[in-house]
Amino acid sequence: MHSNVAMSSSSHRLSPSQRLAVSAKEYLLIKEEVRKVLSKGKAAGVLRLVFHDAGTFDINDNSGGMNGSIVYELERPENAGLTKSVKVLQKAKTQIDAIQPVSWADMIAVAGAEAVEVCGGPPIQVSLGRLDALVPDPEGRLPEESLNASGLKMCFQSKGLSTQELVALSGAHTIGSKGFGSPNSFDNSYYKVLLEKPWTSSGGMSSMIGLPSDHALVEDDECLRWIKKYADSENLFFEDFKNAYVKLVNSGVRWKNM
């Protein structure tokens, strides 16, 4: 058993069908409470929380990942602004814990999926049963905003994620203040705007759109292929984002009763 995870014994002796019923009930409870505290304006911050918790995963030694350790890492510069999102979810978590204790890792995984759906994105169902780490994950694991495309691809590779998954997950920047389309609409605007390269025009607000790492994607042939596909088909983007999201929130997870 991993030394820095808390073990729960609540569902040890249940049959698979009973466990499924418990899980479905628990899932609805988490969704319900999250919806009470989650507005469209808070969605981008909550989704960012998922990426910053799961983004510490390293496939080489199977460390880090979706384990709730973000709650111990909020003072790190790359996590600036996330305390607000944790406080939003803490309200819901307190309500849920009074009925059925929930790990931070499960809480964040479900809340991120809800954030996508609340802004018009695809419904995403995630499994429950993640255990929380009791210590922070190692530093320096998140992709830096200044990385070029090959640096990004290598970074995502070390997390078990392909170039296609990198491009699909980057579409999360379609919500929030990055300047891609409406800040509260989860759609494929991100890819359409990337193809226009508005940041190359001189001066004005358009030069502020996106991060250097967003700009880098469109300069890479392999990434560009997927950017064009997602700009052409929102359905394809939704399907690929959903699958990549589930993979992301399952990365590095220590599950209950394993």
Side-chain angles (χ1 to χ4, degrees), residues 7 14 28 30 42 46 49 54 56 58 82 85 99 108 114-116 128-129 160-161 164 200 206 225 234 247:
M7 191 67 174
L14 299 178
L28 278 176
I30 299 171
K42 291 171 182 160
V46 168
L49 208 49
T56 55
D58 189 326
L82 286 178
S85 301
I99 302 161
I108 294 167
E114 288 305 295
V116 169
L128 295 181
L161 296 164
Q164 178 242 323
T200 55
S206 54
R225 208 171 70 236
E234 190 171 82
K247 187 170 172 182

Side-chain angles (χ1 to χ4, degrees), residues 127-188:
S127 305
L128 295 181
R130 293 167 190 76
L131 294 168
D132 279 343
L134 303 178
V135 294
D137 281 337
E139 296 196 46
R141 294 273 185 91
L142 296 181
E144 288 172 31
E145 293 175 358
S146 57
L147 284 177
N148 62 15
S150 65
L152 281 168
K153 289 197 280 192
M154 277 172 62
C155 180
F156 271 65
Q157 226 170 6
S158 73
K159 303 179 191 310
L161 296 164
S162 67
T163 299
Q164 178 242 323
E165 288 164 330
L166 154 65
V167 177
L169 288 170
S170 296
H173 284 171
T174 195
I175 58 170
S177 56
K178 304 281 191 310
F180 298 100
S182 158
N184 298 331
S185 288
F186 193 96
D187 54 26
N188 65 341

Side-chain angles (χ1 to χ4, degrees), residues 193-215:
V193 175
L194 279 187
L195 292 174
E196 290 164 10
K197 301 187 187 179
W199 54 88
T200 55
S201 68
S202 55
M205 289 305 285
S206 54
S207 61
M208 309 289 286
I209 290 172
L211 300 167
S213 52
D214 294 314
H215 306 168

Side-chain angles (χ1 to χ4, degrees), residues 10 14 54 69 87 94 123 135 162 182 184 197 233 246 250:
S10 58
L14 299 178
S69 67
K87 280 183 178 162
T94 303
V135 294
S162 67
S182 158
N184 298 331
K197 301 187 187 179
S233 171
V246 169
N250 288 348

Side-chain angles (χ1 to χ4, degrees), residues 21-93:
V22 168
S23 183
K25 204 172 158 193
E26 192 182 346
Y27 199 89
L28 278 176
L29 172 66
I30 299 171
K31 266 177 85 101
E32 228 168 79
E33 292 301 328
V34 165
R35 281 290 169 114
K36 288 178 191 172
V37 297
L38 185 68
S39 60
K40 284 185 177 185
K42 291 171 182 160
V46 168
L47 191 51
R48 188 169 160 246
L49 208 49
V50 176
F51 281 76
H52 285 234
D53 192 35
T56 55
F57 180 57
D58 189 326
I59 199 168
N60 300 306
D61 61 0
N62 198 30
S63 65
M66 196 77 209
N67 56 17
S69 67
I70 188 75
V71 298
Y72 307 117
E73 299 156 6
L74 295 169
E75 74 299 329
R76 295 180 183 175
E78 65 268 30
N79 294 331
L82 286 178
T83 303
K84 244 189 323 199
S85 301
V86 168
K87 280 183 178 162
V88 168
L89 294 189
Q90 180 68 72
K91 280 184 203 163
K93 190 174 186 300

